[in-house]
């Protein structure tokens, strides 16, 4: 963790801090300051206020607490600080800092409030404020929900501005000149006569004065870094293979471990025979862990081989052993007793269906999906008598702290989490299993660092996959228009499953059951969206775009079916129904990008889909060709409204990568259970989009809304729907189930 590794843990206020002869700056946006993480271990003359900018004689370190799993989070956070600090991106280093309530995620509140993102009423905004207070009270330091940019957009820029102005004040104290007559550039304060003083030379003086306040952030027309094409800070290291991930961490004296737990996830281990494994070369120990057994060896490969040699008697799964049981549980959930929420109920839906005999009905399905990041789950843990160190890529470092404190009995302040770069996540690193298992092993080997690595097969079959889901739609069209829309969605509760593993109860409805469906800004005369809570089945977790990943498909494909039944143009009818102006502009943009009015030739089809998720309206158009060998995806056009594009290059990469991710899973991927065990255990059975299948993708980011949003997830929900709609346009075959290769071939 470098210089920032000494930053303490607990509190947060406005201002600056001297640390090891340097100064750290930040900004606290709320009336009452919380505890400051920099108060511990301060030396005489040091001040502790906030941890976003650390300056000492060695250089400038920007604290970027939102985790980076490959989405560019460290770079975009650094850009927001650097913009106001007046430093160049090549003049800084970044560090995730240490876990602290100070780094609670302000943007999570908006996602947690039970209001549509387009609802800006007093009640909605007040509730979001209450939810923000809850997040602060909980110290919810979490990376997820496409919140990195909206969380940091103001507070990280303000942190840079406070630091900049405080450094000018320090220069004024040194020279006796008026700071208001000074400017800043490239990590220097510039005096009126042109003399340049490096920030690093002013750190100690800056730490001895009260920080600047009452600052105005710069208008985007004056930005030097934000909104301009930038090279990500990790590009050189990634391009040269020198970037260090969690799986690369190997302290001196480390031993290597792997685990085997019941492939029927949550089932018991009745017994095991490890005698053969104990005799294998390099094996040091075979140790019990919760629900299974661990092998410790002198390298990872030998641990893997020995784990395979253990004969284990596994108990039954606590969920249906075969997939028919999972689907039946969903089908049985469409009843009043299991109604979880009905956040959308406009007009008189029941009367609309009574007035006609021509009711359009359809059922849709979406399977379990593994997270399957390229870097398998891993963690390195060192347990001492009164201290634990854990090195891991995690999106929830404070959850890790809390869980390991309970496990070891060591005070949470002595659980030191060193967040590592992640080789992908897609939501997997919101779980804490690997850190807990590594700690269980390390507790039995005190004083020895233990590196736990999952085999790929263990990683996939013990993943907490995306939820399985089913939807049933009823619709009515009248006079060439969509007149009635009634969509019911059944799935287990993602939040209850995921947060239950953290020991937290989640009261009330789970809005993820209807996310990506109920909040769409459409004015359908009779419009209802209902969520039905299925019983707990296989343990599930947040997967990229969570509930919207299935519901965006359900909602828009059903809408498309109604539009075609009405005889209307898919784009024109969506535009007619769209009452939210920024969303309308997204549809208009994608229509212009794809030249929608020019119809494809024979054997070709074009489909459009729209979905608002995480507050981001996204429209996608996909072109396909029906070839003798199957469907070929030719082109994808994507338009999204994010309020402000902070990093144009990374924005385009995120959108293109998200589309590839979504299409690959929609076409090829599923997790199925047989005898209670996941059948897909490696990439050969869980195949992403092949290079030959990858379409040309054109991206446009719109900036019409006043709210700045993130783009890590919202492009995923519309992709499968646009593809299904395009296939229908090309072939007349309506695909209502994923993976689509169950019903049609792709080339």
């Amino acid at each position: 963790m470098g210089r920032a590794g000494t930053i303490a843990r607990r509190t947060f206020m406005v201002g600056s801090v001297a640390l090891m002869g340097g100064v750290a700056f930040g900004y606290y946006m709320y009336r009452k300051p919380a505890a400051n993480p920099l108060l511990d271990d301060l030396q005489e003359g040091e001040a502790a206020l906030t941890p976003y900018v650390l300056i000492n004689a060695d250089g400038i370190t920007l604290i970027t607490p939102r985790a980076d799993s490959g989405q560019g989070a460290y770079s975009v956070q650094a850009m927001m600080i650097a913009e106001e600090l007046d430093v160049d991106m090549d003049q800084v280093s970044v560090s995730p800092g240490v876990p602290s309530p100070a780094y609670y995620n302000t943007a999570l509140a908006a996602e947690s409030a039970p209001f549509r993102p387009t609802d800006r009423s007093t009640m909605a905004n007040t509730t979001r404020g209450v939810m923000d207070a809850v997040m602060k009270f909980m110290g919810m330091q979490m990376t997820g929900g496409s919140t990195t940019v909206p969380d940091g957009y103001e507070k990280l820029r303000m942190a840079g501005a406070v630091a900049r102005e405080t450094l000018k004040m320090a220069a004024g104290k040194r020279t006796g000149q008026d700071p208001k007559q000074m400017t800043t550039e490239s990590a220097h304060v510039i005096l009126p006569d042109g003399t340049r003083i490096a920030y690093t030379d002013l750190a100690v003086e800056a730490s001895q004065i009260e920080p600047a306040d009452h600052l105005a952030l710069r208008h985007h027309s004056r930005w030097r870094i934000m909104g301009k094409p930038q090279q990500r800070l990790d590009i050189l290291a990634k391009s040269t293979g020198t970037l260090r991930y969690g799986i690369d961490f190997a302290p001196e004296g480390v031993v290597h471990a792997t685990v085997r737990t019941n492939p029927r996830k949550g089932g018991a281990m009745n017994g095991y025979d490890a005698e053969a494994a104990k005799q294998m070369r390099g094996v040091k120990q075979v140790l019990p862990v919760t629900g299974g057994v661990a092998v410790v060896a002198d390298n990872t490969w030998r641990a893997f081989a020995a784990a395979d040699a253990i004969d284990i008697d596994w108990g039954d799964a606590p969920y249906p052993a075969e997939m028919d049981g999972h689907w039946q549980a969903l089908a049985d959930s469409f009843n009043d007793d299991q109604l979880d929420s009905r956040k959308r109920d406009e007009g008189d839906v029941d009367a609309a269906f009574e007035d006609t005999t021509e009711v359009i009905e359809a059922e849709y399905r979406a399977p379990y999906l593994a997270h399957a990041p390229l870097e398998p789950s891993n963690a390195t843990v060192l347990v001492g008598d009164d201290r634990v160190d854990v090195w891991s890529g995690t999106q929830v470092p404070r959850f890790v702290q809390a869980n390991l404190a309970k496990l070891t009995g060591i005070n949470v302040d002595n659980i030191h989490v060193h967040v590592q770069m992640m080789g992908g996540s897609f939501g997997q690193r919101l779980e804490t299993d690997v850190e807990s298992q590594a700690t269980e092993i390390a507790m039995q080997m005190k004083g020895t660092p233990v590196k736990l690595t999952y085999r790929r097969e263990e990683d996939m079959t013990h993943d907490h996959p995306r939820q399985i889901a089913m939807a049933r739609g009823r619709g009515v069209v009248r006079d060439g228009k969509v007149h009635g829309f009634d969509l019911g969605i059944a799935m287990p509760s993602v939040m209850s499953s995921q947060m239950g593993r953290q020991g937290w109860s989640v009261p009330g409805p789970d809005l993820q059951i209807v996310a990506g469906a109920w909040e769409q800004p459409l004015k359908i005369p009779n419009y209802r969206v209902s969520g039905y809570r299925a019983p707990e089945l296989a343990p599930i977790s947040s997967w990229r775009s969570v509930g919207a990943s299935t519901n965006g498909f359900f909602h828009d494909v059903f809408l498309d079916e109604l539009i075609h039944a009405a005889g209307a143009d898919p784009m024109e009818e969506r535009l007619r129904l769209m009452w939210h102006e920024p969303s309308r502009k997204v549809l208009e943009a994608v229509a212009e990008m794809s030249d929608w009015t020019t119809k494809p030739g024979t054997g070709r089809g074009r489909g459009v889909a729209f979905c608002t998720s995480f507050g981001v309206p996204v429209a996608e158009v996909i072109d396909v060709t029906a070839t003798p060998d199957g469907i070929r995806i030719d082109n994808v056009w994507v338009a999204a409204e994010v309020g402000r594009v902070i990093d144009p290059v990374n924005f385009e990469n995120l959108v293109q990568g998200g589309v590839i991710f979504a299409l690959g899973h929609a076409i090829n991927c599923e997790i199925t259970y047989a005898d209670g065990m996941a059948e897909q255990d490696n990439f050969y059975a869980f195949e992403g989009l092949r290079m030959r299948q990858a379409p040309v993708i054109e991206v446009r980011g719109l900036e019409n809304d006043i709210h700045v949003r993130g783009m890590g997830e919202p492009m995923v929900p519309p992709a499968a729907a646009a593809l299904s709609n395009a296939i229908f346009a090309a072939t007349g075959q309506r695909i209502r189930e994923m993976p689509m290769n169950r019903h049609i071939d792709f080339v």
Side-chain angles (χ1 to χ4, degrees), residues 368 431 464-467 492-494 497-498 501 538-542:
Y368 292 112
E431 299 289 339
H464 301 91
R466 183 189 75 173
Q467 71 280 353
S493 171
V494 178
S497 183
Q498 180 178 329
R501 287 186 290 278
I540 52 178
S541 188
S542 295

Side-chain angles (χ1 to χ4, degrees), residues 374-401:
L374 286 178
E375 180 190 15
S377 295
N378 65 90
T380 302
V381 176
L382 174 62
V383 174
D385 291 333
D386 57 3
R387 177 184 173 112
V388 176
D389 286 273
V390 53
W391 295 265
S392 178
T394 177
Q395 296 170 247
V396 285
R398 297 197 71 243
F399 283 8
V400 172
Q401 276 187 316

Side-chain angles (χ1 to χ4, degrees), residues 22-264:
V23 56
F25 298 88
Y27 183 72
Y28 179 63
M29 303 289 288
Y30 300 93
R31 184 174 300 170
K32 183 179 179 180
N36 186 334
L38 304 176
L39 287 178
D40 288 353
D41 304 322
L42 293 178
Q43 300 175 18
E44 184 178 353
E46 293 180 332
L49 298 176
T50 88
Y52 283 112
V53 181
L54 173 66
I55 304 175
N56 58 27
D58 295 328
I60 302 168
T61 300
L62 306 183
I63 310 301
T64 52
R66 298 292 161 258
D68 199 316
S69 60
Q71 82 278 36
Y74 289 163
S75 285
V76 75
Q77 291 172 91
M79 288 173 63
M80 289 187 279
I81 302 171
E83 180 64 58
E84 293 285 345
L85 182 58
D86 269 345
V87 296
D88 301 326
M89 294 293 282
D90 60 2
Q91 294 178 303
V92 300
S93 58
V94 299
S95 168
V98 297
S100 169
Y103 297 126
Y104 87 94
N105 191 326
T106 59
L108 283 174
E111 286 301 309
S112 303
F115 295 91
R116 282 175 275 180
T118 51
D119 186 347
R120 310 311 300 180
S121 65
T122 299
M123 176 64 75
N125 287 333
T126 299
T127 303
R128 292 182 184 111
V130 170
M131 293 303 299
D132 187 66
V134 172
M135 296 295 174
K136 176 184 174 184
F137 176 77
M138 296 168 63
M140 186 64 76
Q141 182 179 349
M142 177 183 290
T143 303
S146 294
T147 56
T148 294
V149 167
D151 170 62
Y153 182 66
E154 289 189 354
K155 68 183 179 185
L156 294 185
R157 292 160 62 208
M158 188 60 74
V162 168
R164 180 193 72 231
E165 293 304 310
T166 305
L167 288 161
K168 289 166 65 176
M169 291 164 59
K173 181 179 179 182
R174 175 186 292 186
T175 64
Q177 300 185 49
D178 185 358
K180 294 180 180 179
Q181 303 302 314
M182 301 175 189
T183 59
T184 52
E185 180 183 58
S186 296
H188 287 76
V189 173
I190 304 175
L191 304 182
D193 65 359
T195 301
R196 300 167 67 91
I197 307 175
Y199 287 174
T200 53
D201 190 33
L202 291 166
V204 173
E205 286 157 297
S207 71
Q208 297 169 351
I209 59 178
E210 288 295 318
D213 56 10
H214 304 297
L215 304 176
L217 297 174
R218 291 170 176 166
H219 189 268
H220 63 84
S221 62
R222 297 177 57 203
W223 287 351
R224 306 170 301 107
I225 298 172
M226 294 168 61
K228 308 294 194 298
Q230 302 290 329
Q231 178 174 292
R232 269 173 42 175
L233 296 174
D234 57 10
I235 287 298
L236 178 61
K238 284 185 173 178
S239 300
T240 57
T242 57
L243 188 64
R244 305 290 290 178
Y245 295 88
I247 203 167
D248 297 316
F249 184 76
E252 185 176 354
V254 69
V255 294
H256 301 266
T258 196
V259 295
R260 284 184 63 189
T261 55
N262 197 332
R264 302 180 184 97

Side-chain angles (χ1 to χ4, degrees), residues 400-410 412 415 443 502-504:
V400 172
Q401 276 187 316
N403 291 339
L404 300 194
K406 292 176 185 176
L407 188 61
T408 62
I410 294 174
V412 69
I415 309 293
M443 288 170 66
Q502 302 297 334
W504 291 16

